[in-house]
Amino acid sequence: MALLGIDIGTTHCKAGVFRDDGSQIQIDVSPTITHYNKQGEPYYLPDEIWGNITRCLKEVMLCCDEKVWAIGITSMAETGLLVDRQSGKPRTNFIPWFSRCAEGEAEEIANEDSPLHRFQKTGLHSSYKYGLAKIIHLRKQQTDILDDAVWLSASDFIAYKLTGHFATDYSLAARTYAFQIDQLSWDQDWIRHFNLPDQLFPEALPSGTKMGITLSTELEELGIPQGIPVTVAGHDHLAAALAVGAVTPGSVFDSIGTAETLVGAIEKKQLTEVDFASGLTFGCHVVRDKFFWMGGISASGGSIEWFRNQFSDRKMSYDEIMSLSARSIEGPSGILYYPYLSGSGSPQPDPFARAAFIGLKTSHKREDLLKAMMEGTAYELESIRRSAEKIAGQLINQMISVGGGTKNHYWMQIKSDITNCHLAVPEINEATLLGAAITAGICSGVYKDEEEAAKAIQFTNPKEIIPNQQYHHEYKRLYEEGYMGLQLHLRNFYQNFHKSV
């Protein structure tokens, strides 16, 4: 039997079919094209995203001789659009999670309730990323745009195209800033507070719930018969954590891509002031009756991509990046890099934070700057780890790491040295896709639950990375006295600068 996963990501759309032991049958990838309007704001075209998915589905189904039992869909969490409830046609383009178009609206929303109270309802700190701010921004541009409309995440939109039903899962609903994770329901009083329609959001269901079946004759042309159960598999980082088994308290998942996210599972609970003070975000896990905590680095791999573009006449290849990494000195570079090219995320969320190098000398070369960037992202990871230890009430000295960044073993060693963590890197190319497929398997009864799925998935022994204790102690001083000690002044300056212009 086969399980089909779909992943709508920031840089690529993907589809893949897997056997119930997690082995890959076929995967296909299509680029996610980011467009920009006259104001320089990014967007995705809905028809283009759907076209990418259908092309990927056609390719993977050509190579799949086994019956597909279910389809699971995961996506970047805060990316969404408005769709007409009657016709199903998009009212807007997709607004990506990283679009800053709703910064002003996020500030306005933050003033409408106590930050602690809203955090205890949503698990979040107000941000331009979340759906509520984007919706209010759209209404300012066109006053009637919300009439008989529904807000859908990228996953929800693809699920609608497959089934004709509007629905989402708890993990994606919670990223709108309009969903109560303590009640598992839309916060209608909060929604009405902003004079928004009661039916603006779709039905919210637990991750892995069947929300419809394939109906379209167009899908049959792609090799997908009618009647296959479809589920929204939820937040992409959580789906990937499920794939590698990092879904129990004490098991921490590090996803390294353009952005980097550290995720841990905790028991469902009432959030406290301690949780609020941690700066981390919380929400409903794709695992039943579990919450997650999450911290993020908006420009982790993004920093390396920036380096590839800016420090060469042509874009550097990854082989050239590896060659530069090999030429850097042993131990700490001594340069402090703050990876805030896109602002900073949890545990110190600040959209006005800016990237910086501190401690440069004339003797420093490109390889030293590259190493400093790897160190800076690892310092930020250490900040998340320390915050998470406080709220989890236990040591975090091991992480499971996946994503493109794991291919650079120099970077991975730096992460291990700075965090003093043992890193396990499983042999898995598409954890997010596999997580979506596993969720589909739970939906269709292939697996009884997440625990049974974890036992069924077969991995070879992961690569282990062990911290160098000498370098760890040197990095620890640089982190505590340098990286954390100096950044407050930088943050304060750019926050005040923003207010004055």
Side-chain angles (χ1 to χ4, degrees):
M1 67 182 67
L3 298 168
L4 196 158
I6 296 172
D7 174 21
I8 307 100
T10 306
T11 55
H12 293 95
C13 294
K14 304 173 184 179
V17 279
F18 301 83
R19 298 180 184 89
D20 59 359
D21 64 358
S23 59
Q24 175 183 313
I25 298 174
Q26 184 67 23
I27 287 174
D28 195 67
V29 179
S30 185
T32 305
I33 306 300
T34 304
H35 301 273
Y36 294 88
N37 63 20
K38 293 180 180 179
Q39 291 74 41
E41 297 166 347
Y43 64 91
Y44 302 132
L45 292 171
D47 288 345
E48 200 167 69
I49 295 291
W50 175 238
N52 287 343
I53 295 301
T54 55
R55 281 192 295 274
C56 290
L57 290 174
K58 183 175 182 179
E59 290 300 316
V60 299
M61 293 309 296
L62 283 173
C63 301
C64 182
D65 296 327
E66 302 183 34
K67 178 182 177 182
V68 172
W69 282 71
I71 301 172
I73 310 165
T74 185
S75 67
M76 41 192 162
E78 299 88 7
T79 296
L81 84 169
L82 288 171
V83 170
D84 187 282
R85 275 192 176 272
Q86 300 305 316
S87 68
K89 294 181 179 180
R91 290 268 186 93
T92 67
N93 293 317
F94 279 111
I95 303 179
W97 61 270
F98 54 86
S99 172
R100 304 174 77 99
C101 68
E103 282 184 337
E105 288 76 12
E107 290 187 38
E108 293 170 10
I109 291 168
N111 293 326
E112 295 301 310
D113 194 7
S114 154
L116 174 60
H117 179 257
R118 191 48 39 191
F119 170 80
Q120 290 177 317
K121 289 286 185 183
T122 65
L124 305 173
H125 307 266
S126 182
S127 170
Y128 62 85
K129 294 180 181 179
Y130 304 134
L132 183 61
K134 292 171 180 173
I135 290 165
I136 294 173
H137 174 75
L138 289 169
R139 185 177 62 182
K140 286 182 179 179
Q141 295 179 316
Q142 183 180 334
T143 56
D144 64 348
I145 199 167
L146 303 182
D147 294 348
D148 208 22
V150 58
W151 175 262
L152 301 179
S153 75
S155 289
D156 309 338
F157 177 71
I158 298 303
Y160 167 74
K161 296 291 282 185
L162 293 173
T163 67
H165 291 287
F166 295 124
T168 190
D169 89 307
Y170 292 160
S171 72
L172 292 172
R175 304 303 282 191
T176 62
Y177 209 56
F179 188 80
Q180 304 174 102
I181 64 172
D182 58 339
Q183 302 293 326
L184 299 180
S185 64
W186 296 107
D187 191 340
Q188 293 296 348
D189 289 341
W190 181 239
I191 292 168
R192 291 174 190 137
H193 178 78
F194 297 99
N195 297 314
L196 301 176
D198 288 351
Q199 301 302 313
L200 179 59
F201 296 100
E203 179 184 13
L205 303 167
S207 304
T209 301
K210 184 175 80 170
M211 50 79 65
I213 58 173
T214 53
L215 294 174
S216 172
T217 54
E218 177 186 356
L219 297 176
E220 291 184 311
E221 297 174 2
L222 304 176
I224 299 174
Q226 295 188 33
I228 298 176
V230 175
T231 183
V232 174
H235 192 308
D236 50 3
H237 294 311
L238 304 178
L242 173 62
V244 300
V247 293
T248 57
S251 182
V252 175
F253 173 64
D254 179 25
S255 174
I256 311 167
T258 303
E260 184 169 359
T261 305
L262 199 64
V263 182
I266 56 173
E267 296 298 329
K268 185 178 176 182
K269 64 170 188 174
Q270 178 64 44
L271 297 178
T272 67
E273 291 188 37
V274 173
D275 299 320
F276 175 73
S278 74
L280 300 172
T281 62
F282 296 76
C284 303
H285 210 296
V286 298
V287 178
R288 300 291 177 101
D289 300 320
K290 289 284 194 302
F291 278 178
F292 67 84
W293 56 260
M294 181 182 293
I297 309 168
S298 297
S300 183
S303 289
I304 307 305
E305 292 303 302
W306 180 83
F307 182 92
R308 290 178 65 207
N309 281 300
Q310 302 302 326
F311 283 79
S312 178
D313 291 336
R314 54 173 178 76
K315 190 171 186 176
M316 286 187 195
S317 69
Y318 289 113
D319 286 342
E320 288 173 316
I321 289 291
M322 292 298 289
S323 179
L324 272 179
S325 299
R327 282 159 39 187
S328 63
I329 62 169
E330 291 288 324
S333 69
I335 304 168
L336 298 177
Y337 168 69
Y338 295 92
Y340 304 145
L341 293 169
S342 303
S344 67
S346 299
Q348 298 183 82
D350 181 358
F352 310 115
R354 295 292 178 264
F357 286 102
I358 294 178
L360 295 177
K361 299 186 296 186
T362 56
S363 59
H364 283 136
K365 301 177 181 178
R366 284 192 304 172
E367 55 262 37
D368 301 310
L369 295 179
L370 175 60
K371 183 165 192 175
M373 297 184 91
M374 295 178 184
E375 291 170 338
T377 58
Y379 286 139
E380 199 68 12
L381 190 67
E382 172 66 358
S383 174
I384 299 170
R385 188 195 67 83
R386 291 192 182 196
S387 291
E389 276 192 340
K390 293 177 183 177
I391 60 98
Q394 58 188 147
L395 292 175
I396 296 175
N397 53 24
Q398 297 186 53
M399 301 180 193
I400 302 174
S401 301
V402 303
T406 62
K407 297 176 183 177
N408 188 325
H409 61 272
Y410 298 102
W411 194 10
M412 297 303 292
Q413 187 63 56
I414 288 169
K415 289 175 184 289
S416 179
D417 293 346
I418 288 177
T419 63
N420 201 29
C421 284
H422 289 238
L423 305 182
V425 184
E427 290 289 333
I428 179 172
N429 293 324
E430 297 292 348
T432 305
L433 261 184
L434 177 57
I438 290 171
T439 306
I442 296 170
C443 162
S444 59
V446 173
Y447 316 112
K448 181 177 67 175
D449 52 26
E450 294 84 8
E451 184 177 348
E452 184 172 286
K455 292 178 181 177
I457 303 303
Q458 302 296 314
F459 289 124
T460 56
N461 291 331
K463 179 182 178 182
E464 297 283 346
I465 300 170
I466 300 172
N468 180 306
Q469 290 302 312
Q470 176 187 338
Y471 295 154
H472 169 66
H473 290 297
E474 294 175 25
Y475 277 126
K476 183 178 180 182
R477 181 184 174 191
L478 282 165
Y479 171 80
E480 293 176 349
E481 298 180 21
Y483 187 80
M484 296 304 292
L486 294 174
Q487 69 169 275
L488 179 62
H489 304 288
L490 291 170
R491 287 177 180 272
N492 286 341
F493 171 77
Y494 281 106
Q495 285 180 354
N496 292 331
F497 180 78
H498 166 74
K499 293 174 182 177
S500 65
V501 296

